[in-house]
């Protein structure tokens, strides 16, 4: 399950972000996960619970924002969802798309932290 290595990286990066901001414990981490990123959101949530133990994220929740895969057809200027499994043919003009506009994201977008005690 590669989600565990991804969750571990999320915990490490969120810890670094909180530390750089002078914050204490992290209460929540928001990530964007594209439909084609090869990550199962439920497995990532489970792995995050394992990876956060013993860290400043021990009580943090993981918020997963799922991003739909969208392609662009240059022939007719149509943006369309490619679905799962992905299908890159434009539903409007029946031509193949060469441009994927979204769907591969795997990024931290927010780290909510409690201010460090003074």
């Amino acid at each position: 399950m590669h989600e565990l290595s991804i969750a571990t990286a999320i915990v490490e990066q969120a810890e670094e972000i909180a530390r750089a901001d002078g914050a204490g414990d992290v209460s929540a981490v928001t990530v964007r996960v594209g439909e084609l990123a090869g990550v199962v959101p439920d497995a990532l949530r489970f792995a995050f619970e394992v990876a956060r133990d013993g860290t400043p994220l021990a009580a943090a929740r993981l918020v997963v924002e799922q991003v739909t895969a969208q392609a662009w057809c240059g022939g007719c200027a149509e943006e369309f969802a490619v679905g799962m499994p992905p299908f890159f043919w434009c539903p409007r003009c029946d031509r193949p798309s060469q441009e994927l506009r979204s769907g591969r994201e795997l990024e931290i977008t927010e780290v909510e932290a409690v201010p460090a005690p003074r």
Side-chain angles (χ1 to χ4, degrees), residues 21-33:
D21 288 345
D25 292 344
V26 173
S27 58
V29 179
T30 303
V31 295
R32 290 173 34 96
V33 177

Side-chain angles (χ1 to χ4, degrees), residues 1-13 38-53 55 62 106:
M1 167 162 93
H2 74 283
E3 281 83 359
L4 184 56
S5 62
I6 293 168
T8 301
I10 290 169
V11 167
E12 290 170 357
Q13 288 179 7
V39 176
V40 178
D42 287 339
L44 182 60
R45 285 184 193 96
F46 177 78
F48 181 80
E49 289 179 13
V50 172
R52 70 183 183 180
D53 282 345
T55 74
L62 181 67
L106 182 54

Side-chain angles (χ1 to χ4, degrees), residues 49-83:
E49 289 179 13
V50 172
R52 70 183 183 180
D53 282 345
T55 74
L57 285 86
R61 71 184 194 288
L62 181 67
V63 179
V64 178
E65 296 175 350
Q66 293 182 268
V67 180
T68 303
Q70 297 281 325
W72 173 257
C73 177
C76 70
E78 177 80 8
E79 186 170 276
F80 59 95
V82 300

Side-chain angles (χ1 to χ4, degrees), residues 17 35-36 45 68-69 77 84 91 97 102:
I17 291 166
E35 186 175 25
L36 302 178
R45 285 184 193 96
T68 303
M84 247 345 236
S97 170
S102 66

